[in-house]
Amino acid sequence: MKSKWNYEPPTAEQTRAAKELAEKIGMSPIMAELLMRRGIKTESAAKRFLRPLLSELIDPFLMNDMDVAVDRLNDAMGRKERIMVYGDYDVDGCTAVALVYRFLQQFYSNMEYYIPDRYDEGYGISIKALDYAAEKGVKLIIVLDCGIKAVREIAYAKQLGIDFIICDHHVPDDELPCAVAILNPKRADSTYPFKHLCGCGVGFKFMQAFAKNNGIAFSQLVPLLDFCAVSIAADIVPVTGENRILAFHGLKQLNQSPSVGLKAIIEICGLTGRELTMSDIIFKIGPRINASGRVQNGTETVDLLVERDLHRALAEAAHINQYNEQRKDIDKQMTEEANQIVERLESQAHQPAIVLYGEGWKKGVVGIVASRLTEMYYRPTVVLSCENGIASGSARSVAGYDIYDAIKSCRDLLENFGGHTYAVGLSLKVENIAEFRRRFQEYVSSHILPEQTEALQEIEAVVDFRDITKKLHNDLKKLAPHGPENPKPVFCTRNVYDYGTSKVVGRQQEHIKLELVDSRSSNVMNGIAFGQSAAARYIKSKRSFDIIYTIEENIYKRGEVQLQIEDIRPSE
């Protein structure tokens, strides 16, 4: 899909301010402009952003119920109660369980972890799990990345004599569960200064508070920060504020001394020896961690993440990699089927949102299919599958549109739902699907803004090729880690020409390998345009064109800069 380009040139005042900031921090005006677009306008703010410090993490006791949670955990350990660490079956849930279990295991042994089976138990806290916990004598459950809506289940647990500490980041309902403590920065009464932690991040804050209360050095938590980085990247939460600090130091840990289980996954992915980025987590590491819960059972993922023996971890990672291959096959088949349905359904063709239902579809990959369709058609999308008369599935949104509110508007038709702005899980009776589709599409139609209905590419700076130096590239690296609210900067260069050597490449001749010059300098820039071979004929016609791109390091020629071209259009 071709995107609409959006560029707001800086005002004269902003250009002057950027120049002043550049002089103070010793960087180019281009870098200063990028910082100012991120709301960073002073020297001190720039230094904090470019060099995130663990010492600037927020005091965990500012989170509601944190003191109660730590007291209850201390009591459980003092009384030698059995503790269960319980989490969702996705990347965020599994990394959160691994982090909390690994940390507490150093000080306490009467504990276990539990990941519900996606197909047998469904999302969140299951009655089956609670019965199992009671049978095993569990007295305290620490639940991570779910639980905020489990009012009925936690009431049942209380009858069984089991207490709960909830560590969640999903939007709560008006009624909160009767847990001993609810750690969630999205609580309506939250006093915590940062609202966008992932589930693993909330678990980390709990362990930070536990360590502080018990005189345990913070340095003992640092080796577990790689789990936070993986979770922040995979769960697509804003990479700002406290998340930026956790992701920055988590990536450092992942590159320098990863946990044994993550090291095995890195090796299976073929990433050993490379400097890992958030993109590597999103496209390589995350899908493999997710695959076990999608195809089989997420417990196998946590087994791998807490493993301490590399030989065993490599065998487990290879096994999970097989699940990922199965998942990719299922994903491809379902996406093709869903595309065919969208193309056939004239009623959906002009709708502002897509709702698809397939009886034979595998529950574990509907979220991936929803994401694919959202990217292809640029519309909020719900994909549902069926089991025992109940349809369950995932909703994904486009940039800037809150799909949680749209799903919530249909709550009377739903059995269950939960999530956040861009991703929601839901279930409903099959007979309610038609009415849900009608009402959901009606709600989206009346609430979505025109600019949210087409892909928009935000350009941060218009530059000439002579501006693209190794120094600029090295400075740009300091903006990482990237993610929502801190995207990789997209640049634009106008009036560029083929140097004469650009060519179509790829197995199916779908990409273009480019060598370009611009009209203002003699610099020749290398670039790659994935999936854009349709533009090759125009490029070879010797006419000028404009490009938007990110500046990357060529992984095959270390130290050499290349452009990753996002879009190409004829110059005006």
Side-chain angles (χ1 to χ4, degrees), residues 401-432:
Y401 184 72
D402 190 338
I403 202 166
Y404 183 87
D405 281 349
I407 299 288
K408 189 177 178 181
S409 73
C410 307
R411 67 183 307 159
D412 57 301
L413 296 170
L414 306 176
E415 299 296 300
N416 205 353
F417 76 102
H420 40 81
T421 304
Y422 294 122
V424 177
L426 67 155
S427 62
L428 67 161
K429 290 174 181 169
V430 171
E431 57 264 32
N432 287 341

mmCIF file of all heavy atoms in Angstrom, residues 401-432:
data_model
loop_
_atom_site.group_PDB
_atom_site.id
_atom_site.type_symbol
_atom_site.label_atom_id
_atom_site.label_comp_id
_atom_site.label_asym_id
_atom_site.label_seq_id
_atom_site.Cartn_x
_atom_site.Cartn_y
_atom_site.Cartn_z
ATOM 1 N N TYR A 401 -5.943 5.261 16.269
ATOM 2 C CA TYR A 401 -7.344 4.928 16.545
ATOM 3 C C TYR A 401 -7.431 3.932 17.710
ATOM 4 O O TYR A 401 -6.800 2.876 17.693
ATOM 5 C CB TYR A 401 -8.032 4.329 15.317
ATOM 6 C CG TYR A 401 -9.498 4.083 15.588
ATOM 7 C CD1 TYR A 401 -10.386 5.154 15.682
ATOM 8 C CD2 TYR A 401 -9.986 2.805 15.826
ATOM 9 C CE1 TYR A 401 -11.719 4.954 15.997
ATOM 10 C CE2 TYR A 401 -11.320 2.596 16.140
ATOM 11 C CZ TYR A 401 -12.182 3.677 16.224
ATOM 12 O OH TYR A 401 -13.501 3.476 16.549
ATOM 13 N N ASP A 402 -8.236 4.256 18.720
ATOM 14 C CA ASP A 402 -8.381 3.432 19.924
ATOM 15 C C ASP A 402 -9.424 2.346 19.689
ATOM 16 O O ASP A 402 -10.629 2.578 19.801
ATOM 17 C CB ASP A 402 -8.792 4.315 21.109
ATOM 18 C CG ASP A 402 -8.732 3.576 22.440
ATOM 19 O OD1 ASP A 402 -8.781 2.324 22.425
ATOM 20 O OD2 ASP A 402 -8.631 4.237 23.487
ATOM 21 N N ILE A 403 -8.949 1.140 19.402
ATOM 22 C CA ILE A 403 -9.872 0.042 19.105
ATOM 23 C C ILE A 403 -10.496 -0.520 20.380
ATOM 24 O O ILE A 403 -11.569 -1.127 20.349
ATOM 25 C CB ILE A 403 -9.175 -1.067 18.283
ATOM 26 C CG1 ILE A 403 -10.228 -1.903 17.516
ATOM 27 C CG2 ILE A 403 -8.278 -1.941 19.150
ATOM 28 C CD1 ILE A 403 -9.655 -2.793 16.443
ATOM 29 N N TYR A 404 -9.845 -0.287 21.526
ATOM 30 C CA TYR A 404 -10.405 -0.763 22.798
ATOM 31 C C TYR A 404 -11.770 -0.127 23.045
ATOM 32 O O TYR A 404 -12.734 -0.808 23.418
ATOM 33 C CB TYR A 404 -9.451 -0.445 23.953
ATOM 34 C CG TYR A 404 -9.919 -0.973 25.289
ATOM 35 C CD1 TYR A 404 -9.605 -2.263 25.704
ATOM 36 C CD2 TYR A 404 -10.699 -0.193 26.139
ATOM 37 C CE1 TYR A 404 -10.046 -2.756 26.925
ATOM 38 C CE2 TYR A 404 -11.152 -0.671 27.355
ATOM 39 C CZ TYR A 404 -10.820 -1.956 27.740
ATOM 40 O OH TYR A 404 -11.271 -2.450 28.952
ATOM 41 N N ASP A 405 -11.865 1.175 22.798
ATOM 42 C CA ASP A 405 -13.149 1.867 22.998
ATOM 43 C C ASP A 405 -14.223 1.331 22.047
ATOM 44 O O ASP A 405 -15.397 1.220 22.417
ATOM 45 C CB ASP A 405 -12.982 3.373 22.779
ATOM 46 C CG ASP A 405 -12.364 4.064 23.986
ATOM 47 O OD1 ASP A 405 -12.270 3.422 25.050
ATOM 48 O OD2 ASP A 405 -11.955 5.235 23.860
ATOM 49 N N ALA A 406 -13.813 1.008 20.808
ATOM 50 C CA ALA A 406 -14.776 0.485 19.826
ATOM 51 C C ALA A 406 -15.316 -0.876 20.270
ATOM 52 O O ALA A 406 -16.522 -1.138 20.169
ATOM 53 C CB ALA A 406 -14.113 0.367 18.459
ATOM 54 N N ILE A 407 -14.422 -1.734 20.768
ATOM 55 C CA ILE A 407 -14.844 -3.061 21.263
ATOM 56 C C ILE A 407 -15.717 -2.892 22.509
ATOM 57 O O ILE A 407 -16.753 -3.550 22.665
ATOM 58 C CB ILE A 407 -13.617 -3.942 21.587
ATOM 59 C CG1 ILE A 407 -12.766 -4.181 20.331
ATOM 60 C CG2 ILE A 407 -14.031 -5.252 22.235
ATOM 61 C CD1 ILE A 407 -13.343 -5.094 19.297
ATOM 62 N N LYS A 408 -15.322 -1.978 23.385
ATOM 63 C CA LYS A 408 -16.052 -1.751 24.635
ATOM 64 C C LYS A 408 -17.491 -1.299 24.364
ATOM 65 O O LYS A 408 -18.407 -1.626 25.130
ATOM 66 C CB LYS A 408 -15.312 -0.692 25.466
ATOM 67 C CG LYS A 408 -15.846 -0.514 26.879
ATOM 68 C CD LYS A 408 -15.007 0.510 27.638
ATOM 69 C CE LYS A 408 -15.568 0.739 29.037
ATOM 70 N NZ LYS A 408 -14.770 1.752 29.773
ATOM 71 N N SER A 409 -17.705 -0.578 23.253
ATOM 72 C CA SER A 409 -19.056 -0.106 22.919
ATOM 73 C C SER A 409 -20.011 -1.265 22.621
ATOM 74 O O SER A 409 -21.225 -1.091 22.634
ATOM 75 C CB SER A 409 -18.996 0.845 21.716
ATOM 76 O OG SER A 409 -18.751 0.125 20.519
ATOM 77 N N CYS A 410 -19.450 -2.451 22.350
ATOM 78 C CA CYS A 410 -20.271 -3.645 22.054
ATOM 79 C C CYS A 410 -20.235 -4.650 23.204
ATOM 80 O O CYS A 410 -20.543 -5.836 23.006
ATOM 81 C CB CYS A 410 -19.765 -4.323 20.780
ATOM 82 S SG CYS A 410 -19.614 -3.263 19.355
ATOM 83 N N ARG A 411 -19.862 -4.220 24.383
ATOM 84 C CA ARG A 411 -19.590 -5.157 25.484
ATOM 85 C C ARG A 411 -20.789 -6.016 25.861
ATOM 86 O O ARG A 411 -20.629 -7.146 26.344
ATOM 87 C CB ARG A 411 -19.048 -4.413 26.706
ATOM 88 C CG ARG A 411 -20.022 -3.464 27.391
ATOM 89 C CD ARG A 411 -19.350 -2.724 28.547
ATOM 90 N NE ARG A 411 -18.726 -3.663 29.467
ATOM 91 C CZ ARG A 411 -17.757 -3.339 30.325
ATOM 92 N NH1 ARG A 411 -17.290 -2.112 30.371
ATOM 93 N NH2 ARG A 411 -17.275 -4.231 31.138
ATOM 94 N N ASP A 412 -22.015 -5.520 25.655
ATOM 95 C CA ASP A 412 -23.201 -6.307 26.001
ATOM 96 C C ASP A 412 -23.328 -7.551 25.107
ATOM 97 O O ASP A 412 -24.053 -8.492 25.456
ATOM 98 C CB ASP A 412 -24.470 -5.457 25.902
ATOM 99 C CG ASP A 412 -24.649 -4.841 24.527
ATOM 100 O OD1 ASP A 412 -23.745 -4.083 24.110
ATOM 101 O OD2 ASP A 412 -25.662 -5.123 23.859
ATOM 102 N N LEU A 413 -22.631 -7.569 23.963
ATOM 103 C CA LEU A 413 -22.672 -8.719 23.055
ATOM 104 C C LEU A 413 -21.528 -9.702 23.341
ATOM 105 O O LEU A 413 -21.484 -10.785 22.755
ATOM 106 C CB LEU A 413 -22.540 -8.250 21.600
ATOM 107 C CG LEU A 413 -23.663 -7.366 21.051
ATOM 108 C CD1 LEU A 413 -23.260 -6.791 19.702
ATOM 109 C CD2 LEU A 413 -24.963 -8.160 20.942
ATOM 110 N N LEU A 414 -20.605 -9.314 24.222
ATOM 111 C CA LEU A 414 -19.372 -10.085 24.431
ATOM 112 C C LEU A 414 -19.430 -10.936 25.695
ATOM 113 O O LEU A 414 -20.075 -10.564 26.679
ATOM 114 C CB LEU A 414 -18.177 -9.141 24.502
ATOM 115 C CG LEU A 414 -17.993 -8.172 23.320
ATOM 116 C CD1 LEU A 414 -16.815 -7.237 23.581
ATOM 117 C CD2 LEU A 414 -17.806 -8.932 22.018
ATOM 118 N N GLU A 415 -18.729 -12.057 25.643
ATOM 119 C CA GLU A 415 -18.538 -12.883 26.834
ATOM 120 C C GLU A 415 -17.386 -12.327 27.664
ATOM 121 O O GLU A 415 -17.403 -12.351 28.884
ATOM 122 C CB GLU A 415 -18.225 -14.337 26.428
ATOM 123 C CG GLU A 415 -19.323 -15.020 25.637
ATOM 124 C CD GLU A 415 -20.602 -15.170 26.445
ATOM 125 O OE1 GLU A 415 -20.574 -15.823 27.511
ATOM 126 O OE2 GLU A 415 -21.638 -14.593 26.028
ATOM 127 N N ASN A 416 -16.365 -11.842 26.944
ATOM 128 C CA ASN A 416 -15.162 -11.337 27.615
ATOM 129 C C ASN A 416 -14.379 -10.470 26.635
ATOM 130 O O ASN A 416 -14.481 -10.653 25.433
ATOM 131 C CB ASN A 416 -14.290 -12.515 28.063
ATOM 132 C CG ASN A 416 -13.396 -12.147 29.238
ATOM 133 O OD1 ASN A 416 -13.334 -10.989 29.635
ATOM 134 N ND2 ASN A 416 -12.706 -13.129 29.786
ATOM 135 N N PHE A 417 -13.599 -9.521 27.160
ATOM 136 C CA PHE A 417 -12.692 -8.755 26.315
ATOM 137 C C PHE A 417 -11.661 -8.071 27.198
ATOM 138 O O PHE A 417 -11.865 -7.882 28.389
ATOM 139 C CB PHE A 417 -13.445 -7.725 25.455
ATOM 140 C CG PHE A 417 -13.903 -6.497 26.213
ATOM 141 C CD1 PHE A 417 -13.214 -5.298 26.107
ATOM 142 C CD2 PHE A 417 -15.035 -6.542 27.032
ATOM 143 C CE1 PHE A 417 -13.633 -4.175 26.801
ATOM 144 C CE2 PHE A 417 -15.456 -5.419 27.728
ATOM 145 C CZ PHE A 417 -14.756 -4.232 27.614
ATOM 146 N N GLY A 418 -10.542 -7.714 26.586
ATOM 147 C CA GLY A 418 -9.498 -7.021 27.332
ATOM 148 C C GLY A 418 -8.368 -6.626 26.406
ATOM 149 O O GLY A 418 -8.173 -7.229 25.353
ATOM 150 N N GLY A 419 -7.630 -5.584 26.789
ATOM 151 C CA GLY A 419 -6.507 -5.176 25.959
ATOM 152 C C GLY A 419 -6.183 -3.716 26.142
ATOM 153 O O GLY A 419 -6.371 -3.160 27.219
ATOM 154 N N HIS A 420 -5.707 -3.080 25.065
ATOM 155 C CA HIS A 420 -5.356 -1.664 25.131
ATOM 156 C C HIS A 420 -5.620 -1.010 23.780
ATOM 157 O O HIS A 420 -6.295 -1.594 22.932
ATOM 158 C CB HIS A 420 -3.911 -1.470 25.612
ATOM 159 C CG HIS A 420 -2.937 -2.451 25.051
ATOM 160 N ND1 HIS A 420 -2.387 -2.333 23.800
ATOM 161 C CD2 HIS A 420 -2.411 -3.590 25.581
ATOM 162 C CE1 HIS A 420 -1.560 -3.336 23.581
ATOM 163 N NE2 HIS A 420 -1.554 -4.125 24.636
ATOM 164 N N THR A 421 -5.092 0.177 23.570
ATOM 165 C CA THR A 421 -5.466 1.022 22.420
ATOM 166 C C THR A 421 -5.415 0.304 21.080
ATOM 167 O O THR A 421 -6.330 0.418 20.276
ATOM 168 C CB THR A 421 -4.549 2.264 22.373
ATOM 169 O OG1 THR A 421 -4.641 2.936 23.625
ATOM 170 C CG2 THR A 421 -4.987 3.212 21.267
ATOM 171 N N TYR A 422 -4.323 -0.450 20.839
ATOM 172 C CA TYR A 422 -4.111 -1.002 19.493
ATOM 173 C C TYR A 422 -4.367 -2.502 19.379
ATOM 174 O O TYR A 422 -4.359 -3.031 18.270
ATOM 175 C CB TYR A 422 -2.686 -0.688 19.021
ATOM 176 C CG TYR A 422 -2.454 0.789 18.814
ATOM 177 C CD1 TYR A 422 -1.447 1.470 19.491
ATOM 178 C CD2 TYR A 422 -3.247 1.510 17.936
ATOM 179 C CE1 TYR A 422 -1.254 2.831 19.307
ATOM 180 C CE2 TYR A 422 -3.059 2.868 17.741
ATOM 181 C CZ TYR A 422 -2.057 3.529 18.429
ATOM 182 O OH TYR A 422 -1.871 4.871 18.238
ATOM 183 N N ALA A 423 -4.568 -3.189 20.478
ATOM 184 C CA ALA A 423 -4.761 -4.649 20.416
ATOM 185 C C ALA A 423 -5.719 -5.088 21.514
ATOM 186 O O ALA A 423 -5.560 -4.720 22.678
ATOM 187 C CB ALA A 423 -3.424 -5.361 20.576
ATOM 188 N N VAL A 424 -6.726 -5.869 21.111
ATOM 189 C CA VAL A 424 -7.742 -6.344 22.064
ATOM 190 C C VAL A 424 -8.026 -7.817 21.781
ATOM 191 O O VAL A 424 -8.078 -8.243 20.628
ATOM 192 C CB VAL A 424 -9.060 -5.524 21.927
ATOM 193 C CG1 VAL A 424 -10.143 -6.063 22.854
ATOM 194 C CG2 VAL A 424 -8.806 -4.048 22.221
ATOM 195 N N GLY A 425 -8.208 -8.600 22.849
ATOM 196 C CA GLY A 425 -8.702 -9.966 22.732
ATOM 197 C C GLY A 425 -10.170 -9.967 23.118
ATOM 198 O O GLY A 425 -10.586 -9.200 24.000
ATOM 199 N N LEU A 426 -10.983 -10.817 22.478
ATOM 200 C CA LEU A 426 -12.421 -10.818 22.780
ATOM 201 C C LEU A 426 -13.025 -12.190 22.506
ATOM 202 O O LEU A 426 -12.455 -12.995 21.764
ATOM 203 C CB LEU A 426 -13.152 -9.760 21.951
ATOM 204 C CG LEU A 426 -13.216 -9.961 20.420
ATOM 205 C CD1 LEU A 426 -14.425 -9.226 19.852
ATOM 206 C CD2 LEU A 426 -11.960 -9.469 19.743
ATOM 207 N N SER A 427 -14.168 -12.433 23.129
ATOM 208 C CA SER A 427 -14.931 -13.657 22.845
ATOM 209 C C SER A 427 -16.414 -13.325 22.902
ATOM 210 O O SER A 427 -16.846 -12.437 23.648
ATOM 211 C CB SER A 427 -14.582 -14.761 23.849
ATOM 212 O OG SER A 427 -14.923 -14.374 25.156
ATOM 213 N N LEU A 428 -17.213 -14.053 22.087
ATOM 214 C CA LEU A 428 -18.664 -13.841 22.042
ATOM 215 C C LEU A 428 -19.330 -15.089 21.470
ATOM 216 O O LEU A 428 -18.668 -15.937 20.850
ATOM 217 C CB LEU A 428 -19.011 -12.614 21.197
ATOM 218 C CG LEU A 428 -18.740 -12.651 19.680
ATOM 219 C CD1 LEU A 428 -19.570 -11.550 18.994
ATOM 220 C CD2 LEU A 428 -17.283 -12.439 19.339
ATOM 221 N N LYS A 429 -20.641 -15.196 21.697
ATOM 222 C CA LYS A 429 -21.391 -16.321 21.132
ATOM 223 C C LYS A 429 -21.466 -16.154 19.615
ATOM 224 O O LYS A 429 -21.606 -15.033 19.112
ATOM 225 C CB LYS A 429 -22.795 -16.379 21.736
ATOM 226 C CG LYS A 429 -22.784 -16.807 23.210
ATOM 227 C CD LYS A 429 -24.158 -16.724 23.819
ATOM 228 C CE LYS A 429 -24.089 -17.138 25.296
ATOM 229 N NZ LYS A 429 -25.327 -16.827 26.009
ATOM 230 N N VAL A 430 -21.406 -17.286 18.913
ATOM 231 C CA VAL A 430 -21.414 -17.251 17.446
ATOM 232 C C VAL A 430 -22.648 -16.515 16.919
ATOM 233 O O VAL A 430 -22.560 -15.750 15.956
ATOM 234 C CB VAL A 430 -21.324 -18.688 16.871
ATOM 235 C CG1 VAL A 430 -21.541 -18.689 15.364
ATOM 236 C CG2 VAL A 430 -19.979 -19.297 17.199
ATOM 237 N N GLU A 431 -23.787 -16.699 17.582
ATOM 238 C CA GLU A 431 -25.015 -16.062 17.092
ATOM 239 C C GLU A 431 -24.982 -14.535 17.228
ATOM 240 O O GLU A 431 -25.814 -13.828 16.659
ATOM 241 C CB GLU A 431 -26.254 -16.623 17.806
ATOM 242 C CG GLU A 431 -26.240 -16.512 19.317
ATOM 243 C CD GLU A 431 -25.745 -17.789 19.999
ATOM 244 O OE1 GLU A 431 -24.882 -18.493 19.415
ATOM 245 O OE2 GLU A 431 -26.225 -18.075 21.117
ATOM 246 N N ASN A 432 -24.007 -14.007 17.982
ATOM 247 C CA ASN A 432 -23.907 -12.549 18.144
ATOM 248 C C ASN A 432 -22.959 -11.887 17.144
ATOM 249 O O ASN A 432 -22.824 -10.662 17.138
ATOM 250 C CB ASN A 432 -23.425 -12.207 19.563
ATOM 251 C CG ASN A 432 -24.495 -12.437 20.606
ATOM 252 O OD1 ASN A 432 -25.677 -12.507 20.274
ATOM 253 N ND2 ASN A 432 -24.107 -12.580 21.858
#
